Amino acid sequence: MNNQRRLFSLKMRASQQNRHISGAERIVPEECVAATAGELVSRAMSHSKGQPDFVNVKIESADQPMELPALTATTREAATPEAGWGIVKQLLAESGFRRVDEIIGLFSQTYPMRGAMLLDADTLERLEPDRERGVRATYMDAADSSKRTAPTAKNHFSEALVLATKVVNTPGIVGEICMSDDPDYVTGYVATKTLGYVRITCLKRRGDPAGGRIFLYRGSKERVSETVEFLQCRRVLVTGVPSSPPTKTETAAVDPLSELDGELDEIRRAGLWRSVRVSPPQLQSFADNDYLGLSEDPRLKAAAVAAIAEFGTGSGASRLVTGTKPPHLQLERHLAAFKGTEDAVVWATGYMANVGAISALAGKGDAIFSDELNHASIVDGCRLSRAEVFIYRHNDLDDLSAKIAQAGPRRRRLAVTDAVFSMDGDWVDLPRFLELCRANGVISMIDEAHATGVMGDTGRGLCEHFGCGHPDILMGTLSKALGCEGGYVCASRMVCDYLRNRSRSFIFSTAPCPATAAAADCALTILEEKPGLVLVVRNKAAAFAALLAERGMPVQSGSAIIPVMVGDEKRASAVSQALERRGFLVPAIRYPTVARGQARLRVAISARMEKKDLEALADAIAEAMRETAQD
Ligand code: WAQ
Ligand code: MG
C-alpha cells in the first residue's frame, strides 16, 4: 500500500424503523470513494432483509492504517451442528482454553447483540462496556477491496476473514468464535493466531436465526479499554484476502471421537442426559417392573442357589451346542403349560427374544405391521428383518386394517403389538387384533412383557383378560412380574422349531445362566399356587390412580403401570429430582423412550407396596408438580 495516497473509510448502515438491516465498511484510496459509496448504497437498497427507510454512508479519512496479513483459512466439514460444535471444542481445548463447555454455552446470550461478547477466557467474566450491544470491530477492510468486482451481496467469507484478522491481532485478544446470524448461513469459524481462521461448515440448523461472536480476552482488567479502543478505532487493512473460501477441506487428523462429545453436549442442553447408577438404598423405588415382588422372594433365591450348586454359574455354550441344561427345558415346558401352548423357546433377554423372533419370521419382501408405540426391541427386530415395515397409529386397528390393505399380498405378513404398552400402561383390543389378522392371513404376535403376571385373573396375560384365543406368537419376558430375566415365545411346536433353527440371537448367544431358568420356573410355580397376587397388584394400582385423581391428576390405569404426564423433558427431570429429595425413586421417562414433549413419570406398582407408601408418593408427586410449575 502506498502511504502517500490518501485513504478513506466508508461506513454504510441501513435500517428500517430504527431496526438494523445491513451494514458494511470499506477502506479505499481517494479515487475510489465515489464508486464505493455507490456500491454500498445499492447493496443497502437491495438487502434480503427488506427495504431500508434510512441509509447512512459515513466517509472519513483513514490515513496510516495498520497492515496485517490475512489469517490462513482452512475449512473443516461438519455434517451436523453437533459435529460442528465438537470441532469447535476440540480446537479450543487444543489451543489451551479451559472451561470450553461454558464458553460455548454463552452463545445462548449473544443472539440479540449487534456486537461481540468480550469474555475473559479464564474467569468467563464479561468485559464489554455495553452488554446489550457488545463490542464492535470496525475500520477494517481487505487491502485490495477497490480492485475487486464489487459484489452487491455480502461475501460472508472475505468480510469475516478481515474481521477475524483484525480481532486476533488486537492486543489482549487470544481468540474468536463466530456463528452467523443469517438463518441460511450455517458456516461459522474459530480463529486464533496459531490456528488461523478455521471455518466449520455447520454450526446450526438451516433456518435458525441464532448467531453471535465471542472475543476471548486474556490480560489485566485495566487494559480492557485499550483492547476495545483498538477494535473500534484502529484502521486496519488486511492483505492477501482470498475472495472465496479454500475449497480443499482440511484433512489433518480430526479426532474421530470429538464429534461424540459435541453430541453429548446436545443431549445435556436438551435435558436428556442419562447415566447409570446403583439405586440409592435409602430411596423407595417406584420404578421396578418387579410387579409381584418376586425378585426378592426367598423361594426364588433358593431355587437359583440350588441350580448354581448343581450346574455352575454359566451355561458354557449356546443352547444348540452344549449350553442347554435341565432347568432350561423344564422352564420351557412350564411356560408352554402356563400359557396353554404346545411349546416355548427361551432367550437370555426379552430384547433378544423380540429381535431374534421377528427377524427370523419376516424377511426381505415381507410386510410387518407394528404399533407406533411398540417397544424398542420390536422396532429393532423389524429393522433387522429387512421386511417392509408399516407403522400404524397407536392402538388404532382401523389404521392397522388400512395398512394391511395397503401392503397387499406378500410371502409373509406379520402384525406385532405390545399387549400392555410399557410407557402408557394401556393395552390392545386383542380379540379384534386377532380377528383382523386371522381374516387377512396375517401372522399375529403380541409382547406380554407387562401383561404376564398382571393381566387376567391368574396372571396368564391378555388372552385370559379377554377370554379370547392365542396369537400365533405369544412373546413375553421373565424379568418383570416373574422377577428374573430372559424372554420367551410360547407358540406351536412348529413355530418354536422354526425359531430354534432360524433365530440368530438364540443360535449365536450363550444360553442363559441355568440359575436364572430355575428361578423363573419357581416364579411360575408360585404364581400357579397363589394367583391372588395378581389381584393384589391390580387393586393397588387402581387405589394409587384414585389417590392421584383426588389430587387433581387424573391418570389412566388398569395395569401395574401408571404414567403421570408432565410434557416438558426438563420439568419431568426436575419433578423426578424433587421426588428423590423426598425419598422416592420415580424415573422421568423422556425422549427417545417416548415422543418429544411427552415426558412423564412412570410409576410401577408392586404387590409389595403398602397403602401408606402409595399415599406418601401421591402427596409427594402433587408437591413436586406444584414446585416445578413455578420455574
Ligand atoms: N464486530 C463485532 N461483532 C460483530 C460484528 C462486528 N463488526 N459484526 C457482527 N458481529 C456479531 C453480531 O452479534 C452478529 O450477530 C454476529 O457477529 C454474526 O454476524 O464462510 O456472517 O455478520 O468463512 O452474521 C462466518 C463464516 C460468517 C464465513 C459470519 O457473521 C465463512 C457472519 P454475521
Ligand atoms: Mg448477519
Side-chain angles (χ1 to χ4, degrees), residues 33-44:
V33 168
T36 305
E39 278 158 21
L40 291 178
V41 170
S42 53
R43 172 164 156 174

Side-chain angles (χ1 to χ4, degrees), residues 25 110-116 133 135-138 140 154 156-158 160-161 163 178-182 185 187-189 197 199 211-213 215 245:
E25 59 185 287
T110 61
Y111 175 34
M113 296 167 67
R114 284 248 297 122
R133 177 173 177 274
V135 186
R136 285 187 61 84
T138 62
M140 65 225 162
K154 163 167 173 159
H156 284 96
F157 166 68
S158 305
L161 180 59
L163 185 148
C178 167
M179 178 183 177
S180 171
D181 59 18
D182 180 341
Y185 204 80
T187 298
Y189 67 84
Y197 177 90
R199 313 172 67 230
R213 278 186 159 91
F215 297 165

